[in-house]
Amino acid sequence: MTQIKLNQIYQMDCFDFLKEIQNCSVDLAIIDPPYNMAKANWDTFKSEQDFFNFTFQWIDALIPKLKGNGSIYIFNTPYNSAFILSYLVSKNFIFQNWITWDKRDGMGGGRRRFSNGQETILFFTKGIDHTFNYNDIRIPYDSQERIKHAMKKGILKNGKRWYPNPDGKLCGEVWHIVSERHKAKVNGKIQKMAHITPKPLEMIERIIKASSNPNDVILDCFAGSGTTALAAKKLKRNFLCCELNFEYVQFAQNRLEKLGSTDEN
Ligand SMILES: C[S@@+](CC[C@H](N)C(=O)[O-])C[C@H]1O[C@@H](n2cnc3c(N)ncnc32)[C@H](O)[C@@H]1O
């Protein structure tokens, strides 16, 4: 039995790790699990049924760990997310958003259908009194020119004068964020990265800012390159993280160590 401490990344299987976490101790779970796309050994399953059995098993193991006002975000393909959504509803979780991540980077050339360029992030809560800091995740208005004008005189809407918020507009459920794979390309060529599917730090930071407060506990049991841990540390939250692969754990720990000297890594 491992004594799980906050703010460390454990090299463990998610099921062994979750067994050691206290029930009702997690404020926010950010889960970026295998997608069954055969991108690596850990992403390869015997069959679709096998993949969904695995997925529903980790969901079952995770559910008791969330506090009553806790939130969960789950990444996956749109197709898989439809089944995951249905499973969470059957567990009486409350649907909040189907977030579409527009990756600004095509996943492949479609000849018989449209090319894939998105991933899904399901946002569910356990109850109705969850944290949601909408003011902390405002994004710039699209038309700066119009907004500059509206700041001075306001815009007449239903008989009332509306003034734009200087911090930007409310964040919608379609997120246009460039993938790490695309950012790393040199002259359009894909480069080998330390982890094959790291999530953009800014995207995980957005989730953490919206759905947790300083000192809250954030769980990520498929930690990969440690993006959740890094974002949590930056934003003064605590994290509970595990990852199966030794090299990824080492890479994630290095990223965390570097954070002391610079915020961008
Ligand atoms: C999609 S990646 C996560 C990427 C991560 N969000 C990041 O930003 O780097 C999924 C990770 O889950 C890990 N994994 C797969 N099966 C696991 C298991 N049973 N227990 C723990 N980790 C596992 C893989 O090694 C992989 O690094």
Side-chain angles (χ1 to χ4, degrees):
M1 182 158 163
T2 316
Q3 184 71 37
I4 302 293
K5 295 194 186 112
L6 289 174
N7 305 325
Q8 294 195 17
I9 301 177
Y10 287 86
Q11 190 206 344
M12 277 175 88
D13 176 78
C14 64
F15 294 101
D16 296 334
F17 184 73
L18 287 168
K19 267 191 222 138
E20 303 301 330
I21 306 290
Q22 246 190 331
N23 284 351
C24 300
S25 64
V26 171
D27 296 283
L28 167 64
I30 303 177
I31 310 296
D32 180 19
Y35 286 18
N36 191 27
M37 290 177 78
K39 288 202 167 196
N41 281 344
W42 54 262
D43 195 38
T44 306
F45 294 80
K46 273 194 251 120
S47 63
E48 188 173 291
Q49 192 54 54
D50 206 36
F51 166 71
F52 281 115
N53 287 344
F54 166 80
T55 302
F56 298 156
Q57 273 166 19
W58 68 249
I59 291 176
D60 286 345
L62 192 152
I63 283 175
K65 310 302 165 188
L66 271 185
K67 290 183 183 170
N69 61 353
S71 301
I72 183 165
Y73 289 73
I74 302 178
F75 289 80
N76 228 294
T77 64
Y79 175 83
N80 291 341
S81 295
F83 295 92
I84 297 171
L85 181 149
S86 162
Y87 193 70
L88 288 170
V89 170
S90 79
K91 297 284 164 182
N92 296 322
F93 265 60
I94 301 171
F95 173 73
Q96 300 295 348
N97 288 108
W98 176 294
I99 297 163
T100 295
W101 173 28
D102 159 23
K103 301 167 70 172
R104 321 303 281 162
D105 171 17
M107 281 163 107
R111 297 284 184 273
R112 306 264 302 160
R113 57 179 182 168
F114 301 102
S115 294
N116 308 125
Q118 62 168 300
E119 291 184 23
T120 299
I121 312 166
L122 293 177
F123 167 29
F124 272 81
T125 56
K126 210 170 188 178
I128 51 168
D129 54 352
H130 59 281
T131 297
F132 196 72
N133 304 312
Y134 60 88
N135 269 329
D136 295 351
I137 52 159
R138 285 182 177 271
I139 54 174
Y141 291 99
D142 297 326
S143 160
Q144 288 304 324
E145 228 12 74
R146 239 180 93 225
I147 291 304
K148 220 162 53 188
H149 177 78
M151 286 281 192
K152 279 192 216 135
K153 302 201 164 159
I155 292 175
L156 205 54
K157 267 189 179 174
N158 303 327
K160 281 190 186 155
R161 216 151 260 287
W162 171 84
Y163 289 89
N165 188 307
D167 293 329
K169 63 178 181 178
L170 294 171
C171 185
E173 55 188 357
V174 179
W175 295 0
H176 307 283
I177 298 178
V178 181
S179 74
E180 294 303 294
R181 187 183 89 132
H182 193 63
K183 273 188 228 160
K185 283 179 190 167
V186 176
N187 297 330
K189 267 201 176 154
I190 297 166
Q191 304 296 306
K192 194 170 167 4
M193 296 187 292
H195 190 282
I196 57 167
T197 60
K199 289 293 178 284
L201 187 62
E202 62 178 303
M203 185 159 69
I204 304 299
E205 285 186 16
R206 178 180 289 176
I207 294 173
I208 292 178
K209 283 181 192 165
S211 289
S212 71
N213 294 308
N215 300 318
D216 276 359
V217 174
I218 299 172
L219 171 77
D220 177 354
C221 54
F222 298 97
S225 65
T227 315
T228 300
L230 197 69
K233 189 174 174 190
K234 262 183 86 176
L235 298 169
K236 306 209 173 355
R237 273 72 164 173
N238 295 297
F239 58 85
L240 284 168
C241 286
C242 80
E243 160 61 48
L244 200 52
N245 180 297
F246 176 70
E247 273 98 49
Y248 294 163
V249 172
Q250 281 198 319
F251 180 74
Q253 283 166 345
N254 283 341
R255 283 179 91 190
L256 281 175
E257 273 166 30
K258 274 198 226 149
L259 186 63
S261 47
T262 166
D263 270 358
E264 282 305 314
N265 60 2

mmCIF file of all heavy atoms in Angstrom, residues 12-14 32-34 42 195 197-199 221-225 227 243-244 248, ligand 1:
data_model
loop_
_atom_site.group_PDB
_atom_site.id
_atom_site.type_symbol
_atom_site.label_atom_id
_atom_site.label_comp_id
_atom_site.label_asym_id
_atom_site.label_seq_id
_atom_site.Cartn_x
_atom_site.Cartn_y
_atom_site.Cartn_z
ATOM 1 N N MET A 12 2.293 4.724 -11.440
ATOM 2 C CA MET A 12 1.350 3.686 -11.006
ATOM 3 C C MET A 12 0.269 3.479 -12.052
ATOM 4 O O MET A 12 -0.024 4.385 -12.840
ATOM 5 C CB MET A 12 0.655 4.139 -9.705
ATOM 6 C CG MET A 12 1.446 3.885 -8.436
ATOM 7 S SD MET A 12 0.615 4.583 -7.003
ATOM 8 C CE MET A 12 -0.457 3.254 -6.510
ATOM 9 N N ASP A 13 -0.358 2.323 -11.996
ATOM 10 C CA ASP A 13 -1.538 2.068 -12.809
ATOM 11 C C ASP A 13 -2.715 2.847 -12.182
ATOM 12 O O ASP A 13 -2.825 2.916 -10.957
ATOM 13 C CB ASP A 13 -1.818 0.566 -12.793
ATOM 14 C CG ASP A 13 -3.088 0.247 -13.544
ATOM 15 O OD1 ASP A 13 -3.039 0.230 -14.774
ATOM 16 O OD2 ASP A 13 -4.130 0.040 -12.892
ATOM 17 N N CYS A 14 -3.578 3.379 -13.031
ATOM 18 C CA CYS A 14 -4.653 4.243 -12.508
ATOM 19 C C CYS A 14 -5.550 3.512 -11.494
ATOM 20 O O CYS A 14 -6.007 4.120 -10.522
ATOM 21 C CB CYS A 14 -5.467 4.836 -13.646
ATOM 22 S SG CYS A 14 -6.344 3.628 -14.629
ATOM 23 N N ASP A 32 -7.508 12.738 -19.215
ATOM 24 C CA ASP A 32 -7.153 12.636 -20.640
ATOM 25 C C ASP A 32 -6.665 11.201 -20.865
ATOM 26 O O ASP A 32 -5.473 10.934 -20.885
ATOM 27 C CB ASP A 32 -6.046 13.674 -20.926
ATOM 28 C CG ASP A 32 -5.601 13.673 -22.368
ATOM 29 O OD1 ASP A 32 -6.343 13.173 -23.233
ATOM 30 O OD2 ASP A 32 -4.491 14.181 -22.627
ATOM 31 N N PRO A 33 -7.591 10.267 -21.027
ATOM 32 C CA PRO A 33 -7.257 8.833 -21.023
ATOM 33 C C PRO A 33 -6.906 8.332 -22.423
ATOM 34 O O PRO A 33 -6.908 9.104 -23.388
ATOM 35 C CB PRO A 33 -8.593 8.222 -20.573
ATOM 36 C CG PRO A 33 -9.598 9.112 -21.236
ATOM 37 C CD PRO A 33 -9.024 10.503 -21.256
ATOM 38 N N PRO A 34 -6.635 7.036 -22.575
ATOM 39 C CA PRO A 34 -6.512 6.461 -23.925
ATOM 40 C C PRO A 34 -7.792 6.702 -24.741
ATOM 41 O O PRO A 34 -8.888 6.774 -24.181
ATOM 42 C CB PRO A 34 -6.318 4.968 -23.641
ATOM 43 C CG PRO A 34 -5.676 4.921 -22.287
ATOM 44 C CD PRO A 34 -6.313 6.050 -21.523
ATOM 45 N N TRP A 42 -0.229 1.848 -25.121
ATOM 46 C CA TRP A 42 -1.224 2.179 -24.108
ATOM 47 C C TRP A 42 -2.548 2.656 -24.698
ATOM 48 O O TRP A 42 -3.534 2.809 -23.973
ATOM 49 C CB TRP A 42 -0.668 3.215 -23.113
ATOM 50 C CG TRP A 42 -0.119 4.478 -23.738
ATOM 51 C CD1 TRP A 42 1.189 4.759 -24.004
ATOM 52 C CD2 TRP A 42 -0.860 5.641 -24.160
ATOM 53 N NE1 TRP A 42 1.316 6.002 -24.576
ATOM 54 C CE2 TRP A 42 0.071 6.570 -24.674
ATOM 55 C CE3 TRP A 42 -2.221 5.979 -24.149
ATOM 56 C CZ2 TRP A 42 -0.311 7.807 -25.181
ATOM 57 C CZ3 TRP A 42 -2.594 7.228 -24.658
ATOM 58 C CH2 TRP A 42 -1.645 8.112 -25.157
ATOM 59 N N HIS A 195 6.354 13.396 -25.369
ATOM 60 C CA HIS A 195 5.107 12.640 -25.189
ATOM 61 C C HIS A 195 4.323 12.790 -26.479
ATOM 62 O O HIS A 195 4.373 13.852 -27.094
ATOM 63 C CB HIS A 195 4.319 13.188 -23.993
ATOM 64 C CG HIS A 195 3.159 12.321 -23.615
ATOM 65 N ND1 HIS A 195 1.976 12.317 -24.310
ATOM 66 C CD2 HIS A 195 3.013 11.410 -22.627
ATOM 67 C CE1 HIS A 195 1.143 11.442 -23.755
ATOM 68 N NE2 HIS A 195 1.752 10.881 -22.731
ATOM 69 N N THR A 197 1.018 12.844 -27.056
ATOM 70 C CA THR A 197 -0.254 13.595 -27.056
ATOM 71 C C THR A 197 -0.351 14.589 -25.887
ATOM 72 O O THR A 197 -1.315 14.546 -25.125
ATOM 73 C CB THR A 197 -1.453 12.628 -26.975
ATOM 74 O OG1 THR A 197 -1.337 11.869 -25.750
ATOM 75 C CG2 THR A 197 -1.539 11.689 -28.140
ATOM 76 N N PRO A 198 0.632 15.486 -25.754
ATOM 77 C CA PRO A 198 0.523 16.440 -24.634
ATOM 78 C C PRO A 198 -0.591 17.440 -24.899
ATOM 79 O O PRO A 198 -0.805 17.847 -26.047
ATOM 80 C CB PRO A 198 1.885 17.145 -24.642
ATOM 81 C CG PRO A 198 2.322 17.077 -26.066
ATOM 82 C CD PRO A 198 1.767 15.790 -26.627
ATOM 83 N N LYS A 199 -1.293 17.835 -23.865
ATOM 84 C CA LYS A 199 -2.349 18.837 -24.036
ATOM 85 C C LYS A 199 -1.736 20.237 -23.847
ATOM 86 O O LYS A 199 -0.807 20.405 -23.051
ATOM 87 C CB LYS A 199 -3.457 18.624 -22.998
ATOM 88 C CG LYS A 199 -4.281 17.376 -23.268
ATOM 89 C CD LYS A 199 -5.084 17.500 -24.539
ATOM 90 C CE LYS A 199 -5.903 16.292 -24.915
ATOM 91 N NZ LYS A 199 -5.188 15.161 -25.468
ATOM 92 N N CYS A 221 -5.354 10.924 -13.379
ATOM 93 C CA CYS A 221 -4.786 9.569 -13.243
ATOM 94 C C CYS A 221 -4.245 9.028 -14.567
ATOM 95 O O CYS A 221 -3.956 7.839 -14.680
ATOM 96 C CB CYS A 221 -5.794 8.632 -12.594
ATOM 97 S SG CYS A 221 -7.376 8.600 -13.419
ATOM 98 N N PHE A 222 -4.126 9.899 -15.600
ATOM 99 C CA PHE A 222 -3.438 9.558 -16.854
ATOM 100 C C PHE A 222 -2.536 10.758 -17.175
ATOM 101 O O PHE A 222 -2.734 11.466 -18.165
ATOM 102 C CB PHE A 222 -4.442 9.327 -17.990
ATOM 103 C CG PHE A 222 -5.384 8.172 -17.752
ATOM 104 C CD1 PHE A 222 -6.659 8.372 -17.237
ATOM 105 C CD2 PHE A 222 -4.991 6.869 -18.046
ATOM 106 C CE1 PHE A 222 -7.529 7.310 -17.023
ATOM 107 C CE2 PHE A 222 -5.857 5.793 -17.840
ATOM 108 C CZ PHE A 222 -7.119 6.011 -17.323
ATOM 109 N N ALA A 223 -1.544 11.000 -16.323
ATOM 110 C CA ALA A 223 -0.869 12.307 -16.293
ATOM 111 C C ALA A 223 0.022 12.595 -17.490
ATOM 112 O O ALA A 223 0.326 13.760 -17.758
ATOM 113 C CB ALA A 223 -0.065 12.423 -15.006
ATOM 114 N N GLY A 224 0.500 11.580 -18.210
ATOM 115 C CA GLY A 224 1.327 11.805 -19.403
ATOM 116 C C GLY A 224 2.525 12.681 -19.098
ATOM 117 O O GLY A 224 3.310 12.394 -18.188
ATOM 118 N N SER A 225 2.647 13.800 -19.823
ATOM 119 C CA SER A 225 3.798 14.689 -19.652
ATOM 120 C C SER A 225 3.624 15.649 -18.476
ATOM 121 O O SER A 225 4.434 16.556 -18.303
ATOM 122 C CB SER A 225 4.016 15.480 -20.940
ATOM 123 O OG SER A 225 2.905 16.338 -21.160
ATOM 124 N N THR A 227 1.002 17.830 -17.711
ATOM 125 C CA THR A 227 0.428 19.158 -17.961
ATOM 126 C C THR A 227 -0.516 19.592 -16.834
ATOM 127 O O THR A 227 -0.483 20.753 -16.410
ATOM 128 C CB THR A 227 -0.314 19.181 -19.328
ATOM 129 O OG1 THR A 227 0.511 18.538 -20.301
ATOM 130 C CG2 THR A 227 -0.616 20.595 -19.775
ATOM 131 N N GLU A 243 0.840 8.116 -13.500
ATOM 132 C CA GLU A 243 1.110 7.819 -14.913
ATOM 133 C C GLU A 243 1.858 6.488 -14.933
ATOM 134 O O GLU A 243 2.743 6.252 -14.107
ATOM 135 C CB GLU A 243 1.937 8.974 -15.522
ATOM 136 C CG GLU A 243 2.703 8.665 -16.785
ATOM 137 C CD GLU A 243 1.829 8.238 -17.957
ATOM 138 O OE1 GLU A 243 0.824 8.879 -18.256
ATOM 139 O OE2 GLU A 243 2.182 7.197 -18.581
ATOM 140 N N LEU A 244 1.488 5.638 -15.892
ATOM 141 C CA LEU A 244 2.036 4.279 -15.950
ATOM 142 C C LEU A 244 3.480 4.245 -16.452
ATOM 143 O O LEU A 244 4.306 3.468 -15.974
ATOM 144 C CB LEU A 244 1.143 3.462 -16.900
ATOM 145 C CG LEU A 244 1.153 1.958 -16.823
ATOM 146 C CD1 LEU A 244 0.913 1.466 -15.409
ATOM 147 C CD2 LEU A 244 0.074 1.395 -17.745
ATOM 148 N N TYR A 248 7.690 9.003 -19.062
ATOM 149 C CA TYR A 248 6.773 10.148 -18.997
ATOM 150 C C TYR A 248 6.775 10.754 -17.586
ATOM 151 O O TYR A 248 6.719 11.979 -17.430
ATOM 152 C CB TYR A 248 5.336 9.735 -19.352
ATOM 153 C CG TYR A 248 5.123 9.283 -20.789
ATOM 154 C CD1 TYR A 248 3.982 8.557 -21.130
ATOM 155 C CD2 TYR A 248 6.023 9.589 -21.798
ATOM 156 C CE1 TYR A 248 3.757 8.142 -22.430
ATOM 157 C CE2 TYR A 248 5.809 9.168 -23.102
ATOM 158 C CZ TYR A 248 4.679 8.442 -23.413
ATOM 159 O OH TYR A 248 4.453 8.025 -24.703
HETATM 160 C C1 LIG B 1 -3.618 10.958 -23.595
HETATM 161 S S1 LIG B 1 -2.214 10.668 -22.608
HETATM 162 C C2 LIG B 1 -2.257 11.988 -21.426
HETATM 163 C C3 LIG B 1 -1.504 13.201 -21.895
HETATM 164 C C4 LIG B 1 -1.464 14.322 -20.873
HETATM 165 N N1 LIG B 1 -2.756 14.932 -20.700
HETATM 166 C C5 LIG B 1 -0.451 15.381 -21.233
HETATM 167 O O1 LIG B 1 -0.790 16.563 -21.363
HETATM 168 O O2 LIG B 1 0.730 15.025 -21.421
HETATM 169 C C6 LIG B 1 -2.708 9.285 -21.687
HETATM 170 C C7 LIG B 1 -1.640 8.746 -20.759
HETATM 171 O O3 LIG B 1 -2.208 7.693 -19.975
HETATM 172 C C8 LIG B 1 -1.178 6.770 -19.665
HETATM 173 N N2 LIG B 1 -1.858 5.510 -19.291
HETATM 174 C C9 LIG B 1 -2.444 4.597 -20.094
HETATM 175 N N3 LIG B 1 -3.002 3.606 -19.384
HETATM 176 C C10 LIG B 1 -2.774 3.899 -18.068
HETATM 177 C C11 LIG B 1 -3.117 3.270 -16.848
HETATM 178 N N4 LIG B 1 -3.786 2.111 -16.828
HETATM 179 N N5 LIG B 1 -2.751 3.879 -15.689
HETATM 180 C C12 LIG B 1 -2.052 5.049 -15.707
HETATM 181 N N6 LIG B 1 -1.676 5.689 -16.844
HETATM 182 C C13 LIG B 1 -2.039 5.124 -18.016
HETATM 183 C C14 LIG B 1 -0.344 6.696 -20.929
HETATM 184 O O4 LIG B 1 0.972 6.257 -20.672
HETATM 185 C C15 LIG B 1 -0.415 8.150 -21.436
HETATM 186 O O5 LIG B 1 0.726 8.883 -21.062
#
